[in-house]
Every structure is written in C-alpha cells, then in structure tokens.
Amino acid sequence: MSSFRVKGGLKLKGEIIPQGAKNEALQILCAVLLTAEKVTINKIPNIRDVNKLIDLLADMGVKVEKLGPESYSFQADEVNLQYLDTNDFLNKASALRGSVMILGPLLARFGTGRLSKPGGDKIGRRRMDTHFTGFQKLGAEFRYDKKKEIYHIDGKNLKGAYMLLDEASVTGTANIVMAAAMAEGKTTIYNAACEPYLQQLCDMLNRMGAKITGIGSNLLNIEGVKKLKGTEHTLLPDMIEIGSFIGLAAMTQSEITIKDAQIHRLGVIPETFRRMGIKLEFRGDDIFIPAQKHYEIETFIDGSILTIADAIWPGFTPDLLSIVLVTATQAKGTVLVHQKMFESRLFFVDKLIDMGAQIILCDPHRATVIGLDRKYSLRGIRMTSPDIRAGVSLLIAAMSAEGTSVIDNIEQIDRGYQHIDERLNALGAQIERI
C-alpha cells in the first residue's frame, strides 16, 4: 500500500490542464463493443479504473492500439464471447464498477451478457435495478445467481419499448441507450439522466449511425438500427478535477489557471463555488482563480445558513460535495452540506476534525461546517483515504495544513486522478509518494 507525504502551507502558482473525464471514459470505452469497425478515442485519462477497463476489453478480444499519451484506437471485430464464462473475466469485471456498462453493448450486438456483481467505492448502497429493469423492458431475460453473485442476461430479440426509469441513473441510462441503439423499433426513455457525459455518449452513437433524439433532456427517443460504424471521439475535461482544483486554490491561497475547462459544460459548479466566496474569472475557456486570503460563504436571502446539496443534473454533482466540505473549513461562515445520494460519503470528516476543523456530522447524509476563516490552521496528521473523492479532499486539507501529513491507501486516489502528485508538484506543491 502506497502513501503520500504532504508538506502543508505552501502556495501554488501556475497553469493546470484537467484530465479527460473519468465518468465519460467508462461509458465511451464500453461503447466500442457496439461496432466491428475502428473507434478512436482521445483525451483518455491514465488512471487505474480506466486502464483496468481497457485491459478487460483487450482480454475480451478487442484490438487496442495506443496512438499517443491520451489517444487509443479500439476494434471489436473479434470479440471472444466464451471469455465471458471464465473466472478471469468475472473476477476482473467485479473489481471495476464501470464494467457493468459492457452489458448494454453486448446485448445489442451479441444478444448475451455475463457480469459479476461490480465493485467500486464503498460509499453506500448503489443498486443495479435501473440497468436490469431497462433491459427487461427491451425484452431481455435476466437471472441472478445469488450464490456466485453473477448476472446472466439473454437479449437475442431486443425490441424497443417505452420506459419510465425509477431513478435518473447515469450509468443505467447509458447502458439502456446502448442496448436500445440496435434494438428493433423505437425506445423512449423518460426520466433519463442528462449529464454532459451522457450527452457525449449519445452524440458519439449518432456519429456511429444511431438515431437518438432529445439529447440533453430527460426524454430520449431511440430508433434502433441494424449496424453501427466506427468514429472518432474526444472526451470532455473532467468536471470533478476542475472543481477539485478550484477548492484547492482557495484552501491554499494559490493563484491557479485551469486550462480549457469547457466552461459551458460545467453547469452550476462555478456558481456553487462562487457562493462559497471563491473568486473565479473566465478567460475564454480558462478559469483563473486568484490567490485569496479570505473567502466568505453566502447566506440565503433571509439570512439563514447556506445549504449545498447534491442533485441529478443539472443540479450539483455528488462527486464534488466532499470538496465543498473541506473548502468550507477555512472559509468565513457556515454551510450545511447535504449528501442525499450516498449514505457513507461524509464519513471522512473525522479525519478533518482530527486536523482541527469544526464540523458537526448531523447524520450519515448531513454535515455542518463552521468555517475557521484561517484564524486557526488545520494541522498535519496521518490518515487513510476511504474513497476517490474523499481522498483528494484529504489531500487538499493536507496541502493547506501546518506541518506534514501522511495519507495512506492512495491507490484510491490513483483510481480517479491522473499523476495528481506530479501535476501539483509542478505548481509548487511538495507531495512525496512513499
């Protein structure tokens, strides 16, 4: 198990380029299974979860060629379906939650699918019902082996259908869209997720020959086609990294420019950080964050404490609530952070409290943060990263703290952030991998 040794109290300065979006990459990579033709993908982040999925595709028989540091070509013209029945496939798929999205393409093109119960962050209950209910609406037959924890799906005669999703699941919507793209007839998905990454997937599928309308809304219509062709696709910059860098700049009083942030695709993220009192300047498609000694959290119009909660898009993404929480510890004012979607994502606050933060964990979903306004610095401690997003939040806290911190289990951070230590060290940080 590796660790970061972090020297706190340093101010950073310079430009940083966000990596390609992890959550988009997992969807787009699975989509290469929909065609026998070559698909080229650019801006692929070099992170553990994405690399695991690329390796899994290669094991399935997909021809993978690395074209450059962030570009790959994929050709799924000789997929080995027998590999799906091997323990090697089931073990590798179970280690990566994003692997569930290979089911939609496999059903669409080959009429069959297998998958172990996916893993991923331990951030609470993350059910799979939306995926499988959608497949069943399309005519797939579904069976779950409880003893082996294996999903078996037969979808040889998928037919378009109307469905109202029980939740606007991003991965669930992506999976159903990919299955419906080659189903017979018309599929209508109501209460569909409409995140930018899902929009990117739909746009890519349309370039491949799919017929999807309603992109960007929660009502998608898909006319099934018999065959899809190859294409080229470039991932968006990762909005979670962008939000993380905004919080990092504020906490460390640093002057940072985030390059090519695709600001028009960030939704309420910039405005949410502005409500935290953080100054942001848009310079073309770059975000400039000036060094700030103080930043003050707004209140609601009636003077009551600000609440920042996660919500389905275009609401605030749950992946950035931990960043908001840690950033609030050195702000002036108080904020209630309400994590609605997952019941374990706030359980890293005990580490921040040990560092000197004033936080009241109200329940598994809510925490009240009383900002210190830099009157008292956080202090360096030894801690363990529980998941990807909390891990980066603890890294930000450590970089702003007095003294040296050690963060264990940084493999969690590596799953979502590409060479984060090297990139931040280039701006003046002192993060040592030990």
Side-chain angles (χ1 to χ4, degrees):
M1 183 183 293
S2 299
S3 304
F4 281 149
R5 182 185 288 121
V6 184
K7 182 177 180 180
L10 300 176
K11 296 181 181 180
L12 313 187
K13 186 171 184 178
E15 298 179 345
I16 194 162
I17 300 173
Q19 68 185 26
K22 171 199 169 182
N23 290 340
E24 180 186 348
L26 298 177
Q27 299 176 34
I28 296 297
L29 287 170
C30 292
V32 306
L33 292 167
L34 286 165
T35 179
E37 296 184 20
K38 185 175 289 188
V39 177
T40 300
I41 306 175
N42 304 309
K43 197 70 178 171
I44 294 180
N46 181 18
I47 56 178
R48 184 163 300 190
D49 279 7
V50 170
N51 292 337
K52 279 185 176 181
L53 183 54
I54 293 173
D55 290 343
L56 182 64
L57 291 171
D59 289 339
M60 293 172 65
V62 178
K63 299 181 180 72
V64 179
E65 182 182 358
K66 189 167 185 178
L67 306 176
E70 298 179 316
S71 296
Y72 287 79
S73 71
F74 302 86
Q75 189 161 5
D77 56 346
E78 295 180 349
V79 175
N80 179 12
L81 295 179
Q82 293 180 339
Y83 178 67
L84 303 181
D85 293 318
T86 66
N87 288 330
D88 185 62
F89 168 76
L90 296 172
N91 290 334
K92 288 181 177 178
S94 67
L96 176 65
R97 188 167 187 83
S99 65
V100 69
M101 286 181 289
I102 69 173
L103 288 178
L106 287 174
L107 290 175
R109 189 164 160 220
F110 302 107
T112 188
R114 301 276 189 282
L115 197 67
S116 294
K117 188 175 181 180
D121 281 340
K122 305 304 181 186
I123 57 175
R125 186 175 62 94
R126 303 170 81 182
R127 59 190 178 87
M128 309 297 297
D129 301 52
T130 304
H131 299 253
F132 296 118
T133 300
F135 294 151
Q136 287 175 318
K137 292 274 188 181
L138 295 173
E141 295 181 2
F142 155 65
R143 180 170 58 87
Y144 178 57
D145 185 333
K146 288 184 179 180
K147 186 175 182 181
K148 295 183 178 179
E149 292 191 325
I150 298 174
Y151 298 95
H152 300 265
I153 308 178
D154 181 3
K156 291 185 174 61
N157 298 295
L158 297 184
K159 296 185 184 299
Y162 171 86
M163 61 187 78
L164 173 60
L165 302 188
D166 61 339
E167 64 171 348
S169 163
V170 178
T171 56
T173 302
N175 228 346
I176 296 166
V177 165
M178 288 188 282
M182 296 174 71
E184 181 183 337
K186 179 181 177 180
T187 298
T188 298
I189 306 175
Y190 197 20
N191 195 30
C194 50
E195 272 79 354
Y197 304 148
L198 199 282
Q199 296 175 38
Q200 286 276 97
L201 173 66
C202 291
D203 287 337
M204 172 183 165
L205 295 178
N206 279 349
R207 292 195 305 273
M208 295 170 70
K211 297 180 179 178
I212 306 171
T213 57
I215 299 171
S217 77
N218 68 346
L219 181 63
L220 295 175
N221 289 295
I222 305 147
E223 290 283 352
V225 298
K226 292 186 180 298
K227 188 178 180 181
L228 294 174
K229 60 184 180 181
T231 190
E232 183 169 357
H233 181 82
T234 300
L235 303 179
L236 290 175
D238 196 307
M239 67 173 73
I240 313 305
E241 265 214 347
I242 292 169
S244 300
F245 295 148
I246 293 172
L248 169 66
M251 279 286 282
T252 59
Q253 303 179 61
S254 298
E255 179 184 298
I256 293 176
T257 299
I258 304 171
K259 301 293 291 182
D260 190 24
Q262 300 268 333
I263 295 167
H264 66 291
R265 308 299 290 270
L266 294 178
V268 300
I269 291 172
E271 184 57 31
T272 300
F273 281 103
R274 279 176 169 153
R275 298 193 77 180
M276 300 277 293
I278 301 170
K279 294 177 183 176
L280 306 175
E281 296 177 19
F282 295 159
R283 298 178 174 179
D285 224 5
D286 301 340
I287 300 176
F288 173 73
I289 306 109
Q292 287 181 252
K293 185 165 180 146
H294 299 282
Y295 50 100
E296 183 172 356
I297 300 168
E298 292 182 2
T299 62
F300 286 119
I301 292 174
D302 63 359
S304 57
I305 292 173
L306 180 69
T307 297
I308 298 179
D310 57 342
I312 60 172
W313 189 269
F316 191 68
T317 172
D319 284 344
L320 281 174
L321 274 185
S322 59
I323 304 296
V324 164
L325 191 150
V326 73
T327 305
T329 63
Q330 289 300 321
K332 180 180 180 181
T334 302
V335 63
L336 174 65
V337 176
H338 190 174
Q339 170 64 266
K340 297 177 181 177
M341 296 187 186
F342 304 107
E343 63 268 20
S344 304
R345 260 196 169 163
L346 298 181
F347 286 173
F348 74 102
V349 301
D350 58 328
K351 283 89 170 174
L352 298 178
I353 293 170
D354 288 345
M355 297 178 80
Q358 294 189 10
I359 304 171
I360 302 167
L361 185 60
C362 309
D363 55 46
H365 293 275
R366 297 177 301 159
T368 300
V369 186
I370 303 164
L372 300 172
D373 193 24
R374 302 200 198 277
K375 291 178 183 176
Y376 308 98
S377 296
L378 300 180
R379 55 182 173 270
I381 63 169
R382 186 163 199 142
M383 47 197 161
T384 299
S385 168
D387 64 70
I388 299 173
R389 307 309 176 188
V392 168
S393 300
L394 295 176
L395 177 61
I396 291 172
M399 292 175 67
S400 73
E402 284 187 352
T404 299
S405 297
V406 175
I407 304 174
D408 297 320
N409 195 29
I410 61 169
E411 288 80 6
Q412 290 282 1
I413 299 173
D414 289 337
R415 287 177 49 218
Y417 292 82
Q418 174 177 294
H419 306 307
I420 190 67
D421 49 336
E422 297 174 13
R423 295 158 70 204
L424 295 179
N425 286 345
L427 300 180
Q430 290 188 24
I431 305 169
E432 182 186 0
R433 192 177 288 259
I434 56 177

